[in-house]
Amino acid sequence: MRHVVVERPGVVAVHEAPDPVLPGPDGAVVAAAATAICGSDLHFYDGDLDLGVPVAVGHEVVGTVLEVGPDVRRFRPGDRVLVASVAGCGACPGCNAGDPVTCVQGPRIFGSGMLPGGQATAVAVPAADFQLLAVPEGLDDEAALLLTDNLATGWAGAQRADVPAGGTVVVLGLGAVGLCAVRSALAQGAGRVLAVDPVPGRRDRAAASGAEPLEGPAAEAVLEATDGRGADAVIDAVATDTSLDGALAAVRAGGTVSVIGVHGPVPYPLDALGAVLRSITLRFTLAPVHRTWADLVPLIVSGRLPTGGIFTHEFPLAEAEAAYAAVAARSPECVKVLLRP
């Protein structure tokens, strides 16, 4: 098989590797028809999360089942499936609740050194009955890929933002996850979504989804837009020190900051006293991907939650180097890239 490897910060290559084998009697091997570059993959590419060794990357996969172990009950070779980005044992109370983040064995993420990378021609999937979802008829590869991570993350981030019906929500950062958060907040009943990003083209995409675009800086722009009160909730899809500072300053007293971006390894210096005095709720979320499917699949299939316009480019897997460079440029034109193995 072939898979994408970040050899060191800024250097990506496609390597030949042995074909994947069943990871156990409950596992499956999936041939990838489409995979994608996520913003969190850029943390390896940019060197923010440097494991010190090459890492096979990617955690968003849609494809066809090639082989299943004898204990797999729900899937057979030939089934079209998507693979959840976060894996669990599939049998503990946390997994039974659809949240492998709380798995008793600890969560594992594809393409992070924990499990094989999904930017590949094929991938071995443990606990297949739990980890896979049959792709509903009529759902295209782009929508299915968003269900593996980005849309699930945006949806969970909006749920955990405690948005009151008709309330005002801010989304910081309008990459793929941020755009998904904009749509999720509106679908969950937000009356007003303020979308903040320094890149004009990305603000335009958020506006097309129903948000009010703001250039920033976040706190100043949001306070001006809310007559000085601040927003009921802020969803931070960036998670830098600067964005976290802005989120805490932009939320109203008694509001919630919901963080779905990936912060770097250097600890964030939280103004805990300020948060206490303003009674701020602060949540960090690694999405319970499996749990979101019951909400998201019917919304997408019915057309009530659109998924178009998030993917902007498509590259062959063999051109992964160019694909990563395009995403890393963070241009107005390139938001999310689909890779075709």
Side-chain angles (χ1 to χ4, degrees):
M1 74 164 191
R2 293 171 294 124
H3 63 174
V4 177
V5 175
V6 174
E7 298 181 333
R8 60 184 183 277
V11 179
V12 164
V14 178
H15 290 197
E16 293 288 337
D19 289 339
V21 298
L22 287 173
D26 65 348
V29 176
V30 174
T35 179
I37 299 175
C38 178
S40 56
D41 294 323
L42 291 183
H43 287 289
F44 297 110
Y45 182 78
D46 292 338
D48 301 330
L49 298 175
D50 187 359
L51 299 182
V53 295
V55 58
V57 287
H59 52 263
E60 301 170 324
V61 183
V62 174
T64 303
V65 176
L66 288 177
E67 184 181 4
V68 297
D71 294 347
V72 176
R73 297 289 177 262
R74 296 178 53 227
F75 300 97
R76 291 292 177 265
D79 289 347
R80 182 171 177 246
V81 296
L82 61 88
V83 184
S85 55
V86 183
C89 71
C92 71
C95 291
N96 286 335
D99 186 4
V101 178
T102 61
C103 177
V104 295
Q105 296 182 13
R108 295 181 295 165
I109 302 171
F110 284 90
S112 65
M114 303 176 186
L115 287 173
Q119 291 167 14
T121 52
V123 62
V125 180
D129 282 333
F130 174 66
Q131 200 59 28
L132 302 179
L133 177 71
V135 179
E137 192 70 30
L139 218 64
D140 63 20
D141 286 346
E142 291 186 5
L145 283 169
L146 291 177
L147 284 168
T148 67
D149 178 10
N150 287 179
L151 186 54
T153 298
W155 185 263
Q159 283 185 321
R160 289 170 59 81
D162 300 327
V163 182
T168 297
V169 182
V170 175
V171 176
L172 302 182
L174 301 175
V177 171
L179 291 172
C180 286
V182 167
R183 299 180 187 188
S184 295
L186 289 167
Q188 291 178 33
R192 188 182 186 197
V193 176
L194 308 176
V196 183
D197 195 288
V199 181
R202 297 191 173 200
R203 295 198 300 270
D204 292 342
R205 292 180 186 278
S209 295
E212 299 175 40
L214 299 176
E215 183 176 356
E220 291 89 334
V222 171
L223 290 173
E224 181 178 351
T226 58
D227 297 324
R229 183 170 185 260
D232 298 303
V234 178
I235 302 171
D236 184 356
V238 183
T240 61
D241 287 6
T242 299
S243 69
L244 288 165
D245 287 345
L248 290 165
V251 73
R252 65 166 174 80
T256 298
V257 173
S258 176
V259 183
I260 53 177
V262 179
H263 193 272
V266 178
Y268 170 64
L270 173 67
D271 176 15
L273 176 59
V276 167
L277 293 177
R278 298 179 61 231
S279 195
I280 303 301
T281 298
L282 178 60
R283 291 198 174 105
F284 294 84
T285 298
L286 181 62
V289 175
H290 309 65
R291 185 189 295 168
T292 69
W293 292 336
D295 291 328
L296 291 173
V297 171
L299 288 172
I300 296 172
V301 170
S302 68
R304 288 176 290 165
L305 183 59
T307 56
I310 304 292
F311 282 90
T312 56
H313 290 70
E314 182 174 316
F315 287 79
L317 188 76
E319 297 178 15
E321 181 179 9
Y324 265 85
V327 178
R330 295 172 174 86
S331 69
E333 296 80 20
C334 185
V335 175
K336 189 167 181 67
V337 165
L338 185 148
L339 296 172
R340 289 286 183 192

